Short mmCIF file of all heavy atoms in Angstrom, two decimals:
data_model
loop_
_atom_site.label_atom_id
_atom_site.label_comp_id
_atom_site.label_asym_id
_atom_site.label_seq_id
_atom_site.Cartn_x
_atom_site.Cartn_y
_atom_site.Cartn_z
N ALA A 135 32.73 39.06 -27.24
CA ALA A 135 32.41 37.66 -26.81
C ALA A 135 31.46 37.75 -25.59
O ALA A 135 30.53 36.91 -25.46
CB ALA A 135 33.66 36.85 -26.51
N LEU A 138 27.89 38.43 -26.56
CA LEU A 138 27.19 37.18 -27.02
C LEU A 138 26.83 36.31 -25.81
O LEU A 138 25.79 35.68 -25.81
CB LEU A 138 28.06 36.44 -28.00
CG LEU A 138 28.41 37.16 -29.33
CD1 LEU A 138 29.31 36.28 -30.16
CD2 LEU A 138 27.10 37.42 -30.12
N LYS A 139 27.68 36.28 -24.85
CA LYS A 139 27.56 35.45 -23.65
C LYS A 139 26.44 35.94 -22.74
O LYS A 139 25.76 35.11 -22.07
CB LYS A 139 28.89 35.44 -22.87
CG LYS A 139 28.91 34.42 -21.69
CD LYS A 139 30.16 34.60 -20.90
CE LYS A 139 31.40 34.48 -21.71
NZ LYS A 139 32.61 34.50 -20.84
N ASN A 140 26.20 37.21 -22.67
CA ASN A 140 25.24 37.77 -21.69
C ASN A 140 23.82 37.70 -22.10
O ASN A 140 22.94 38.45 -21.56
CB ASN A 140 25.62 39.23 -21.43
CG ASN A 140 26.94 39.38 -20.64
OD1 ASN A 140 27.63 38.39 -20.46
ND2 ASN A 140 27.13 40.56 -20.08
N LYS A 141 23.50 36.78 -23.02
CA LYS A 141 22.13 36.67 -23.44
C LYS A 141 21.11 36.31 -22.41
O LYS A 141 19.98 36.60 -22.54
CB LYS A 141 22.11 35.59 -24.56
CG LYS A 141 22.64 34.25 -24.20
CD LYS A 141 22.79 33.38 -25.38
CE LYS A 141 23.57 32.13 -25.06
NZ LYS A 141 24.98 32.37 -24.81
N ASP A 142 21.53 35.73 -21.30
CA ASP A 142 20.55 35.22 -20.29
C ASP A 142 20.32 36.29 -19.27
O ASP A 142 19.57 36.10 -18.29
CB ASP A 142 21.15 33.99 -19.59
CG ASP A 142 21.24 32.81 -20.54
OD1 ASP A 142 20.31 32.13 -20.74
OD2 ASP A 142 22.45 32.63 -21.05
N THR A 241 31.65 29.24 -12.79
CA THR A 241 31.91 29.09 -14.25
C THR A 241 32.13 27.62 -14.55
O THR A 241 31.58 27.13 -15.60
CB THR A 241 33.19 29.95 -14.58
OG1 THR A 241 32.97 31.28 -14.37
CG2 THR A 241 33.49 29.77 -16.14
N GLY A 244 28.91 25.42 -15.02
CA GLY A 244 28.40 25.44 -16.38
C GLY A 244 29.15 24.72 -17.39
O GLY A 244 28.62 23.98 -18.29
N VAL A 245 30.47 24.87 -17.30
CA VAL A 245 31.38 24.18 -18.29
C VAL A 245 31.09 22.62 -18.14
O VAL A 245 31.06 21.97 -19.19
CB VAL A 245 32.86 24.47 -17.99
CG1 VAL A 245 33.76 23.51 -18.73
CG2 VAL A 245 33.13 25.86 -18.35
N PHE A 248 27.92 21.53 -19.99
CA PHE A 248 28.14 21.39 -21.42
C PHE A 248 28.98 20.18 -21.82
O PHE A 248 28.72 19.46 -22.80
CB PHE A 248 28.74 22.66 -21.93
CG PHE A 248 27.85 23.77 -22.16
CD1 PHE A 248 27.44 24.65 -21.15
CD2 PHE A 248 27.30 23.99 -23.45
CE1 PHE A 248 26.68 25.74 -21.36
CE2 PHE A 248 26.37 25.05 -23.62
CZ PHE A 248 26.08 25.91 -22.61
N VAL A 395 35.36 22.10 -25.08
CA VAL A 395 34.46 22.93 -24.33
C VAL A 395 35.21 24.10 -23.84
O VAL A 395 36.16 24.00 -22.97
CB VAL A 395 33.92 22.15 -23.14
CG1 VAL A 395 32.83 23.07 -22.35
CG2 VAL A 395 33.22 20.85 -23.56
N GLU A 396 34.96 25.32 -24.36
CA GLU A 396 35.78 26.50 -24.12
C GLU A 396 35.43 27.11 -22.74
O GLU A 396 34.58 27.93 -22.64
CB GLU A 396 35.52 27.53 -25.19
CG GLU A 396 36.02 27.09 -26.66
CD GLU A 396 36.06 28.21 -27.63
OE1 GLU A 396 36.80 29.16 -27.46
OE2 GLU A 396 35.22 28.16 -28.55
N ASN A 399 38.01 32.27 -22.43
CA ASN A 399 37.58 33.10 -23.56
C ASN A 399 38.59 33.21 -24.66
O ASN A 399 39.79 33.39 -24.37
CB ASN A 399 37.31 34.57 -23.00
CG ASN A 399 36.00 34.60 -22.15
OD1 ASN A 399 34.96 34.03 -22.47
ND2 ASN A 399 36.22 35.23 -21.04
N VAL A 417 32.83 21.75 -31.16
CA VAL A 417 33.36 22.95 -30.44
C VAL A 417 32.22 23.68 -29.75
O VAL A 417 31.33 24.30 -30.47
CB VAL A 417 34.15 23.85 -31.35
CG1 VAL A 417 34.73 25.03 -30.54
CG2 VAL A 417 35.24 23.16 -32.12
N LEU A 418 32.22 23.63 -28.49
CA LEU A 418 31.23 24.39 -27.73
C LEU A 418 31.83 25.76 -27.36
O LEU A 418 32.78 25.86 -26.52
CB LEU A 418 30.86 23.65 -26.47
CG LEU A 418 29.93 22.42 -26.84
CD1 LEU A 418 29.97 21.34 -25.80
CD2 LEU A 418 28.49 22.93 -27.04
N LYS A 419 31.32 26.83 -27.96
CA LYS A 419 31.95 28.11 -27.92
C LYS A 419 31.92 28.78 -26.57
O LYS A 419 31.01 28.51 -25.81
CB LYS A 419 31.23 29.00 -28.99
CG LYS A 419 31.88 30.31 -29.29
CD LYS A 419 31.11 31.07 -30.32
CE LYS A 419 31.74 32.45 -30.60
NZ LYS A 419 31.89 33.27 -29.45
N ASP A 420 32.92 29.61 -26.30
CA ASP A 420 33.02 30.27 -24.97
C ASP A 420 31.72 31.04 -24.57
O ASP A 420 31.33 31.00 -23.43
CB ASP A 420 34.26 31.24 -24.97
CG ASP A 420 34.33 32.13 -26.22
OD1 ASP A 420 33.35 32.14 -27.00
OD2 ASP A 420 35.37 32.79 -26.33
N SER A 421 31.11 31.73 -25.54
CA SER A 421 29.91 32.48 -25.20
C SER A 421 28.76 31.63 -24.76
O SER A 421 27.79 32.14 -24.21
CB SER A 421 29.48 33.40 -26.37
OG SER A 421 29.29 32.60 -27.52
N SER A 422 28.84 30.38 -24.95
CA SER A 422 27.86 29.42 -24.42
C SER A 422 28.50 28.67 -23.20
O SER A 422 27.92 28.74 -22.10
CB SER A 422 27.42 28.38 -25.53
OG SER A 422 26.73 28.93 -26.52
N ALA A 423 29.62 28.10 -23.36
CA ALA A 423 30.12 27.10 -22.44
C ALA A 423 30.53 27.74 -21.12
O ALA A 423 30.37 27.02 -20.06
CB ALA A 423 31.33 26.32 -23.00
N ASN A 424 31.04 28.96 -21.07
CA ASN A 424 31.53 29.51 -19.89
C ASN A 424 30.64 30.69 -19.38
O ASN A 424 31.09 31.59 -18.67
CB ASN A 424 32.97 29.89 -19.90
CG ASN A 424 33.29 31.07 -20.77
OD1 ASN A 424 32.51 31.96 -20.97
ND2 ASN A 424 34.52 31.04 -21.35
N LYS A 425 29.38 30.69 -19.78
CA LYS A 425 28.48 31.81 -19.52
C LYS A 425 28.03 31.90 -18.02
O LYS A 425 27.57 32.97 -17.60
CB LYS A 425 27.27 31.73 -20.41
CG LYS A 425 26.31 30.60 -20.10
CD LYS A 425 25.06 30.68 -20.96
CE LYS A 425 24.06 29.49 -20.55
NZ LYS A 425 22.79 29.65 -21.33
N CYS A 426 28.17 30.86 -17.26
CA CYS A 426 27.57 30.84 -15.98
C CYS A 426 28.22 31.73 -14.95
O CYS A 426 27.60 32.25 -14.03
CB CYS A 426 27.53 29.47 -15.40
SG CYS A 426 26.24 28.39 -16.22
N GLY A 427 29.51 32.12 -15.15
CA GLY A 427 30.15 33.03 -14.32
C GLY A 427 29.49 34.44 -14.32
O GLY A 427 29.21 34.99 -13.28
N ILE A 429 26.50 35.13 -15.36
CA ILE A 429 25.08 35.02 -14.87
C ILE A 429 25.08 35.13 -13.38
O ILE A 429 24.27 35.85 -12.79
CB ILE A 429 24.40 33.75 -15.39
CG1 ILE A 429 24.36 33.70 -16.94
CG2 ILE A 429 23.03 33.64 -14.78
CD1 ILE A 429 23.92 32.40 -17.49
N LEU A 464 20.16 26.73 -16.78
CA LEU A 464 20.39 27.57 -18.01
C LEU A 464 21.45 26.94 -18.86
O LEU A 464 21.32 26.97 -20.07
CB LEU A 464 20.83 29.00 -17.57
CG LEU A 464 19.74 29.88 -16.89
CD1 LEU A 464 20.28 31.11 -16.31
CD2 LEU A 464 18.65 30.17 -17.97
N ALA A 465 22.46 26.36 -18.27
CA ALA A 465 23.54 25.73 -19.07
C ALA A 465 23.00 24.52 -19.89
O ALA A 465 23.21 24.28 -20.97
CB ALA A 465 24.71 25.23 -18.20
N GLU A 468 20.63 25.45 -22.78
CA GLU A 468 21.42 25.91 -24.00
C GLU A 468 22.14 24.77 -24.70
O GLU A 468 22.12 24.65 -25.88
CB GLU A 468 22.34 27.09 -23.68
CG GLU A 468 23.04 27.55 -24.96
CD GLU A 468 23.76 28.83 -24.80
OE1 GLU A 468 23.60 29.52 -23.76
OE2 GLU A 468 24.46 29.21 -25.73
N ALA A 469 22.81 23.98 -23.88
CA ALA A 469 23.63 22.82 -24.46
C ALA A 469 22.71 21.94 -25.32
O ALA A 469 23.03 21.54 -26.36
CB ALA A 469 24.35 22.09 -23.35
N LEU A 472 21.50 23.65 -28.55
CA LEU A 472 22.52 23.68 -29.57
C LEU A 472 22.67 22.38 -30.33
O LEU A 472 22.66 22.37 -31.58
CB LEU A 472 23.97 23.96 -28.95
CG LEU A 472 24.15 25.36 -28.32
CD1 LEU A 472 25.58 25.46 -27.69
CD2 LEU A 472 23.90 26.47 -29.37
N LEU A 484 28.49 24.04 -34.60
CA LEU A 484 27.96 24.53 -33.26
C LEU A 484 28.30 25.93 -32.92
O LEU A 484 27.51 26.63 -32.36
CB LEU A 484 28.57 23.54 -32.16
CG LEU A 484 27.85 22.17 -32.02
CD1 LEU A 484 28.60 21.33 -31.04
CD2 LEU A 484 26.44 22.31 -31.59
N PRO A 485 29.51 26.42 -33.22
CA PRO A 485 29.79 27.83 -32.89
C PRO A 485 28.85 28.81 -33.62
O PRO A 485 28.39 29.84 -33.08
CB PRO A 485 31.21 28.08 -33.34
CG PRO A 485 31.85 26.70 -33.20
CD PRO A 485 30.72 25.77 -33.61
N VAL A 487 25.70 28.07 -34.53
CA VAL A 487 24.44 27.97 -33.83
C VAL A 487 24.40 28.84 -32.57
O VAL A 487 23.53 29.54 -32.21
CB VAL A 487 24.08 26.55 -33.45
CG1 VAL A 487 22.72 26.39 -32.77
CG2 VAL A 487 24.11 25.62 -34.76
N SER A 488 25.57 28.77 -31.90
CA SER A 488 25.71 29.54 -30.67
C SER A 488 25.58 31.06 -30.93
O SER A 488 24.89 31.75 -30.15
CB SER A 488 27.09 29.20 -29.97
OG SER A 488 27.28 30.04 -28.79
N VAL A 489 26.28 31.51 -31.91
CA VAL A 489 26.22 32.95 -32.25
C VAL A 489 24.79 33.35 -32.69
O VAL A 489 24.29 34.44 -32.27
CB VAL A 489 27.25 33.30 -33.36
CG1 VAL A 489 27.04 34.69 -33.84
CG2 VAL A 489 28.70 33.15 -32.84
N LEU A 491 22.00 31.97 -31.81
CA LEU A 491 21.14 32.05 -30.63
C LEU A 491 21.31 33.28 -29.82
O LEU A 491 20.41 33.98 -29.48
CB LEU A 491 21.50 30.83 -29.74
CG LEU A 491 20.79 30.71 -28.41
CD1 LEU A 491 19.29 30.72 -28.48
CD2 LEU A 491 21.31 29.54 -27.63
N SER A 492 22.60 33.75 -29.63
CA SER A 492 22.87 34.90 -28.85
C SER A 492 22.28 36.13 -29.57
O SER A 492 21.69 37.00 -28.91
CB SER A 492 24.44 35.11 -28.71
OG SER A 492 24.96 34.14 -27.91
#
Side-chain angles (χ1 to χ4, degrees):
L138 297 176
K139 186 188 303 185
N140 287 12
K141 53 190 170 291
D142 298 277
T241 301
V245 168
F248 278 87
V395 184
E396 293 190 67
N399 291 313
V417 181
L418 288 155
K419 192 177 178 301
D420 47 11
S421 56
S422 293
N424 67 33
K425 69 177 184 174
C426 285
I429 299 172
L464 290 169
E468 180 166 354
L472 293 178
L484 282 173
V487 181
S488 177
V489 170
L491 172 63
S492 294

